Amino acid sequence: FEAFGWHSVSIDGHNIPEIVAALDEAMSVTEKPAVIVAATKKGKGVSFIEDKDGWHGKPLKKGDELERALAELQPRVAGADGLKMKPPEARSAINVVSETTAAKSATAPSEYKDGEQVATREAYGEALARLGDENPLVVALDGDTKNSTYSEKFMKAHQDRFFESFIAEQDMVGAAVGLSAMGKIPFASTFACFLTRAYDQIRMASVSQANLKLCGSHAGVSIGEDGPSQMGLEDLAMMRAIEGSTVLYPSDAVATEHAVRLAADHKGIVYIRTSRPKTPVIYSADKQFAIGRAKVIKRSNGDKATLVASGITLFEALAAYDQLKAEGVAVRVIDLFSVKPIDEATLQQAGSETNNLIITVEDHAAWGGIGDSVASAVSPVGIRVHQLAVGEVPRSGKPDELLAAYGIDRNAIVGAVKSLLAQI
């Protein structure tokens, strides 16, 4: 590193004072990049394992080996007569503090008005900032997209609890997991497509049972002219596959505010998907949302089919509903909201009452998203699911042009309903 012009610091990677001093030294260097080389030993702290071959992935034997290793790993405190083991209550104090301090976030009334045009990404930033006012354990991280994800609203309100991760999503998620281990409630945000870079960290966060909150914005072809490299079309599939994860897809500002609060109160990994375009507020301030529950927005006793959507495509489904209603065709419209866990009961009831036909519409790839999620929920009772989704690598264009080009706009929905009903 020095040969290439870096300022380097070599330390014992197990020595906390050396680590802290090296970080201070590296941060003080301004004229060149700095690197810390930390020498470590595998199995540090257990005398018969430390720096020994043949122990990688090998379990300790129950009995003397295990008891000896656990005894050597117990925290110790310095006293007048040397090191002593910490009492059990002292070792668990940090957990007690984090559990008792983390007050549940109150559901504050929304300030959004019916029909107001607000992007869910902006509502996410607003909700996060307000949540930070109420709960000092909430922290935020961002991957150098804070002006687009609107996490900058949190940064401006709570600068000491905001961490800019720059274009390093793996580091961002890793740091968020570390913060959760400290008892914080971390919300990490970036474009949905960029979270794919950190999938290994997200997967390992699940293994670690981390309390991690993620927000992916700019999802789908509806972002428009930025092109396919910026269009998150795999994120729902990616996050649904994480064991124990919760996946929320709010469609308007009110639903987004509830999604943020539900995420904060839920222990575990929660993913919130937000959109770039502005969408109208359709829910009243007193509307309640829950993990695992969908919202039936339009229904009648004469519904011929059920439309299931979230985000941008929900409004395409509502426009299709109006057009079909004008032509004498009644359909039910469901806002999925909770993609995982999914509201099986509501979907199965809707499907059974509408010719056993559900049409899903999503600004996502045709694999692993809303369509597959709904199909898994209703297929055991014999309900047919027809999926409208993005089935190829998209091109750049205006949002409306792209929704039409990939068959997920209102006209495509109307056409699918008529075609499928004609086959019954």
Side-chain angles (χ1 to χ4, degrees):
F1 279 100
E2 289 176 349
F4 282 89
W6 289 57
H7 175 87
S8 66
V9 187
S10 181
I11 63 169
D12 174 359
H14 300 294
N15 187 306
I16 299 300
E18 284 192 28
I19 294 171
V20 173
L23 288 167
D24 288 340
E25 180 179 338
M27 292 296 289
S28 69
V29 177
T30 58
E31 72 278 4
K32 59 175 70 175
V35 60
I36 298 171
V37 181
T40 59
K41 295 179 180 179
K42 185 179 291 189
K44 178 70 175 178
V46 180
S47 59
F48 59 95
I49 294 176
E50 182 175 322
D51 207 26
K52 301 289 197 305
D53 275 342
W55 282 98
H56 184 79
K58 180 180 178 181
L60 293 165
K61 294 178 181 177
K62 289 183 178 179
D64 291 344
E65 271 190 359
L66 179 60
E67 291 177 5
R68 182 182 171 192
L70 290 174
E72 291 187 18
L73 288 172
Q74 294 304 313
R76 288 169 170 78
V77 293
D81 52 352
L83 292 175
K84 291 184 178 180
M85 190 178 298
K86 284 186 180 181
E89 61 272 20
R91 293 199 303 274
S92 62
I94 186 170
N95 293 328
V96 173
V97 170
S98 63
E99 288 169 8
T100 55
T101 306
K104 291 284 187 178
S105 56
T107 304
S110 171
E111 298 176 355
Y112 299 108
K113 299 177 181 178
D114 182 51
E116 181 181 356
Q117 295 283 333
V118 184
T120 53
R121 60 179 175 133
E122 185 173 359
Y124 165 79
E126 187 67 35
L128 189 59
R130 293 174 63 186
L131 185 64
D133 294 339
E134 303 163 14
N135 192 334
L137 293 180
V138 173
V139 297
L141 306 90
D142 197 276
D144 204 25
T145 57
K146 58 185 176 292
N147 63 318
S148 295
T149 62
Y150 280 94
S151 67
E152 65 179 5
K153 290 179 178 289
F154 184 95
M155 179 194 71
K156 292 175 181 177
H158 311 286
Q159 190 169 4
D160 59 330
R161 287 188 272 148
F162 180 85
F163 304 92
E164 176 57 77
S165 304
F166 300 103
I167 308 175
E169 288 77 11
Q170 293 176 331
D171 286 348
M172 178 183 74
V173 173
V177 172
L179 287 163
S180 77
M182 296 172 64
K184 308 297 182 183
I185 304 174
F187 281 78
S189 55
T190 186
F191 285 13
C193 61
F194 299 151
L195 281 173
T196 59
R197 301 170 179 170
Y199 196 61
D200 183 38
Q201 280 71 20
I202 298 170
R203 174 181 167 274
M204 291 307 297
S206 170
V207 173
S208 302
Q209 300 180 30
N211 189 29
L212 175 66
K213 321 303 170 187
L214 300 170
C215 178
S217 74
H218 289 62
V221 299
S222 57
I223 72 166
E225 292 87 347
D226 286 358
S229 68
Q230 312 290 297
M231 296 171 178
L233 289 167
E234 315 82 8
D235 55 310
L236 292 178
M238 178 178 81
M239 292 307 304
R240 283 183 64 224
I242 294 294
E243 180 61 36
S245 66
T246 294
V247 181
L248 303 178
Y249 191 0
S251 298
D252 79 343
V254 174
T256 304
E257 182 173 297
H258 281 274
V260 170
R261 294 177 178 278
L262 288 167
D265 290 342
H266 182 78
K267 184 67 184 297
I269 297 177
V270 181
Y271 176 61
I272 301 172
R273 190 185 211 225
T274 61
S275 304
R276 182 182 192 179
K278 293 180 182 293
T279 51
V281 172
I282 57 173
Y283 292 112
S284 61
D286 59 353
K287 183 67 70 174
Q288 296 300 307
F289 289 79
I291 291 172
R293 295 299 302 274
K295 293 291 184 188
V296 180
I297 300 179
K298 302 289 186 181
R299 74 175 307 278
S300 73
N301 293 332
D303 292 337
K304 303 299 183 184
T306 294
L307 306 179
V308 179
S310 289
I312 293 299
T313 54
L314 176 66
F315 297 95
E316 296 301 314
L318 289 171
Y321 165 88
D322 289 336
Q323 184 174 331
L324 288 165
K325 182 179 180 181
E327 298 178 22
V329 180
V331 293
R332 194 162 302 184
V333 180
I334 294 179
D335 176 2
L336 193 59
F337 180 69
S338 181
V339 179
K340 180 189 177 186
I342 197 166
D343 191 345
E344 293 184 357
T346 295
L347 292 168
Q348 290 178 6
Q349 179 181 352
S352 65
E353 295 174 351
T354 58
N355 291 308
N356 285 329
L357 175 60
I358 292 178
I359 300 169
T360 62
V361 196
E362 58 190 305
D363 195 359
H364 185 272
W367 302 272
I370 289 175
D372 285 354
S373 182
V374 172
S376 67
V378 302
S379 58
V381 294
I383 296 171
R384 181 168 53 134
V385 175
H386 180 84
Q387 183 183 18
L388 299 179
V390 181
E392 60 185 276
V393 175
R395 304 284 295 271
S396 178
K398 291 181 170 56
D400 290 346
E401 293 174 338
L402 295 172
L403 293 174
Y406 300 106
I408 55 174
D409 71 340
R410 60 199 67 187
N411 292 329
I413 298 170
V414 169
V417 170
K418 291 180 177 179
S419 174
L420 291 166
L421 290 180
Q423 300 172 25
I424 296 176

